[in-house]
Amino acid sequence: NYSGPKNSARRVSFSQVYLNLLPKKIFKDRIVLIGPSFLASQDFHITAFSKSGAYRARMTGVEIHANILENLLFNRFLTPLSKPLKMILFVIFFLMILSIFLLDLTQFLKVLFSFGLMIVYLAIGYHLFLQNNIINFYLSTLIFFVLILFYFVQETFMKYRNMKTELKHLKKNDLMALESLCIKYDLTRKEKEIIVFLSKKYTNKKISEKLFITLNTVKKHVFNIYQKMNIKTREEIFHILKENQLMSD
C-alpha cells in the first residue's frame, strides 16, 4: 500500500552525508535505507502511481522498500471490502446497468452512457484504494461488458428478425417496387426500413419498437423522407406508396 507517488519519502544524497553537509539530528530515531536512484542502476519499478512505463515515472526500489517497512510498522495494508459494502456496490452497479436498458436512448448514447458508468465505477474503486480498501474489478468488469454485449446483440438480432418478417410479406414485385422507390427518392438504408413499416400503416411509436430506436430517431427519418418526397402528411406518403404498389387500397 503505497504512501503516494515517487519521491514521497524524504531523500538525501550520499555525497551530502559523506561531506557532512546535513545536521546529524536528521537521522535520529529514523530508519535509514541506502539505495541507488540514478537511471543507470535500472532499479526502477512500475507502481499504482506510475503515469507511464518510462523510467522517470517509475519508483526506485529503495523507496518501494521504504513503503513496505511503513506498512509493517503502522499496519497500513490494503484490506478487502466487507461483504455488506460489496453487496451495496454491486446492487448500485447493477441498477446503473439496468437503467441503460430502460432509458429511451440511441445506441451511441447508450454506449456513451455505458462508458460513463465504467468511469464512475473506476473512480469509486480508486477512492476506496486511497482509503486502504481494494475491490475486485475483474468479475464486475466482465459482468458489465457481457451484459452490454448481450444487450446490443439481442437488439441487433431482434431488429433483423422484425425486418426479415416484414420483408417476407412482400412479394417479389413489391421488393422491386421498393428498390425502385428508394432509388427514385435517394432514400438511405434506414429510410428504406422506415418505408417498409409505413407501408403497413405503423405509427411512429410502433416503428421505434420494431427497429429498437428512439421515437425521435423515427420522427427524424420520417421527416427526411417527407423532405425528399416533397410532401407534408402521412396521407401523401400513403398515396405515393399506393402509386408504387407498396400499399393496397
Side-chain angles (χ1 to χ4, degrees), residues 72-120:
L72 291 170
L73 290 170
F74 299 102
N75 195 29
R76 193 171 52 80
F77 296 99
L78 290 173
T79 55
L81 288 177
S82 61
K83 286 186 178 180
L85 187 55
K86 277 184 181 178
M87 184 59 66
I88 291 170
L89 283 175
F90 180 79
V91 170
I92 292 172
F93 187 59
F94 179 77
L95 290 175
M96 291 168 76
I97 294 174
L98 189 63
S99 67
I100 300 173
F101 302 151
L102 299 178
L103 289 174
D104 187 24
L105 301 172
T106 62
Q107 283 194 352
F108 173 74
L109 288 177
K110 284 175 181 177
V111 171
L112 199 64
F113 191 60
S114 302
F115 279 104
L117 292 182
M118 201 65 209
I119 290 170
V120 169

Side-chain angles (χ1 to χ4, degrees), residues 6-23:
K6 59 177 290 189
N7 300 330
S8 294
R10 184 173 181 181
R11 298 191 306 171
V12 294
S13 69
F14 185 78
S15 61
Q16 287 177 306
V17 178
Y18 182 76
L19 297 172
N20 201 24
L21 299 176
L22 299 171

Side-chain angles (χ1 to χ4, degrees), residues 38-45 55 58:
F38 49 91
L39 292 176
S41 69
Q42 297 188 359
D43 187 21
F44 293 84
H45 308 274
Y55 273 112
R58 300 183 185 189

